C-alpha cells in the first residue's frame, strides 16, 4: 500500500481498463483511495451488464458492521450503500472510457428489517433509461447526474432500500 492519505490531496486515478474491468484491482484501489473501505467488510464485487443499465452487487460480512444489538449498524449500512452508488457510476464511466469525478448529491435510506447475517447489496439505476440519459448529458454538457437504487438483502429478506443521486463533474 502507498503512503497514508493526506487531507486535500487527491488519490491517483486507476488507469482506465483496456478491455473488461478487473473488479479485484478496482476494489484494492478503492481501499487505498478511501481508507475506511477496508473496515466495511466488502468480500466481493460483481457486475451484471445483461439488464437495463446493469447492476453492481457486493457481498458483505456482518461482523465488521455490528451495532450494540448484534445486528447491522445503520451508519455502516448507509456508508456502504452511498459508496456502492459512487462505485456504480465510477465503473460505468470507466467502461465508457471517461475519467471524471463523481460525487454524491443526495442519499436516503429506508430500514425495513434488521440485518442479522452476512448480506448482499445490489445497485441498479432507478430508471432503466438513466444510463442513456446520463450519456446524453455528458456528451452535450460534459456533466450530468443519475439516480440509483441500492437494495440490501439478508437471504431473501429485503432489509434496507436506499436511493441516491450521483453527479458526474465536468473534466477540470
Amino acid at each position: 500500500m502507498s503512503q497514508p492519505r493526506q487531507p486535500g490531496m487527491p488519490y491517483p486515478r486507476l488507469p482506465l481498463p483496456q478491455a473488461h474491468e478487473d473488479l479485484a484491482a478496482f476494489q484494492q484501489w478503492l481501499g487505498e483511495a478511501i481508507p475506511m473501505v477496508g473496515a466495511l467488510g466488502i468480500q466481493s464485487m460483481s457486475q451484471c451488464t445483461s439488464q437495463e443499465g446493469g447492476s453492481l452487487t457486493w457481498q458483505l460480512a456482518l461482523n465488521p458492521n455490528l451495532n450494540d444489538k448484534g445486528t447491522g449498524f445503520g451508519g455502516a449500512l448507509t456508508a456502504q450503500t452511498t459508496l456502492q452508488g459512487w462505485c456504480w457510476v465510477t465503473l460505468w464511466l470507466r467502461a465508457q472510457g471517461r475519467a471524471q469525478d463523481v460525487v454524491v448529491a443526495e442519499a436516503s435510506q429506508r430500514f425495513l428489517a434488521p440485518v442479522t447475517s452476512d448480506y448482499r447489496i445490489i445497485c441498479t439505476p432507478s430508471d432503466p433509461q438513466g444510463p442513456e440519459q446520463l450519456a446524453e448529458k455528458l456528451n452535450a454538457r460534459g456533466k450530468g447526474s443519475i439516480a440509483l437504487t441500492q437494495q440490501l438483502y439478508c437471504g431473501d429478506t429485503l432489509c434496507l432500500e436506499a436511493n441516491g443521486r450521483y453527479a458526474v463533474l465536468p473534466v477540470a
Side-chain angles (χ1 to χ4, degrees):
M1 190 162 118
S2 58
Q3 294 181 354
R5 293 295 315 277
Q6 296 298 317
M9 298 297 299
Y11 195 78
R13 290 185 191 274
L14 189 63
L16 291 173
Q18 296 302 311
H20 294 292
E21 188 76 56
D22 177 347
L23 289 178
F26 179 80
Q27 186 174 345
Q28 180 180 347
W29 170 85
L30 187 66
E32 294 168 2
I34 304 173
M36 74 176 280
V37 167
L40 293 178
I42 303 168
Q43 297 173 324
S44 67
M45 296 183 186
S46 61
Q47 286 182 296
C48 177
T49 55
S50 61
Q51 65 186 36
E52 271 306 318
S55 66
L56 176 63
T57 301
W58 288 1
Q59 299 293 327
L60 298 109
L62 176 59
N63 274 1
N65 301 295
L66 288 171
N67 65 17
D68 58 317
K69 293 166 243 1
T71 61
F73 173 58
L77 305 177
T78 296
Q80 292 164 351
T81 59
T82 302
L83 178 64
Q84 189 189 39
W86 181 91
C87 288
W88 188 99
V89 179
T90 299
L91 290 166
W92 182 86
L93 287 167
R94 290 171 56 74
Q96 313 302 309
R98 292 181 169 272
Q100 288 181 255
D101 287 329
V102 177
V103 296
V104 61
E106 296 176 38
S108 64
Q109 302 77 31
R110 250 179 0 123
F111 296 88
L112 306 168
V115 176
T116 57
S117 64
D118 290 355
Y119 52 99
R120 71 187 181 284
I121 307 175
I122 304 166
C123 180
T124 57
S126 301
D127 176 350
Q129 300 304 312
E132 182 180 320
Q133 293 167 352
L134 177 57
E136 289 170 4
K137 290 176 193 171
L138 291 173
N139 289 332
R141 300 188 342 231
K143 64 181 182 175
S145 68
I146 187 169
L148 300 173
T149 299
Q150 298 88 17
Q151 294 180 310
L152 185 155
Y153 291 91
C154 284
D156 293 331
T157 302
L158 177 61
C159 298
L160 179 155
E161 186 167 74
N163 294 286
R165 176 163 293 283
Y166 297 82
V168 178
L169 304 178
V171 176

